[in-house]
Amino acid sequence: AVALLECFIVLMLCSHWLACCWALLDQLGDSEDSWVKHMSPAPRSGYDIYVASIYWSTMTLTSIGYGDVVPVNIGERLFACGGMMTSGFVWAYVLGK
């Protein structure tokens, strides 16, 4: 039971961190061409952006990847590649526990 709880906490923390960085990309990059502007319907608040980001990071972390929240510019694509590689290691760690 303790190992299962530890795995859940690791997955939630990694998903949260990945989501925060993904949301930050919209703020730091070109706001005219970002994943937020290409979503339909467009997120209207910080909470909406966080929920979309946690959705994206969970899909990336678990390698499900529906593809409805996608990187649009080069910075987002590079971050997504790094996120996928990191997520693979995290997923392997969790499954190996």
Side-chain angles (χ1 to χ4, degrees), residues 34-74:
S34 73
W35 67 271
V36 173
K37 304 302 181 279
H38 287 249
M39 284 190 63
S40 178
R44 290 181 251 186
S45 68
Y47 178 76
D48 290 345
I49 291 172
Y50 179 74
V51 169
S53 296
I54 201 82
Y55 169 79
W56 176 86
S57 68
T58 303
M59 294 302 109
T60 301
L61 184 64
T62 59
S63 71
I64 294 172
Y66 292 128
D68 51 350
V69 178
V70 295
V72 176
N73 59 45
I74 191 72

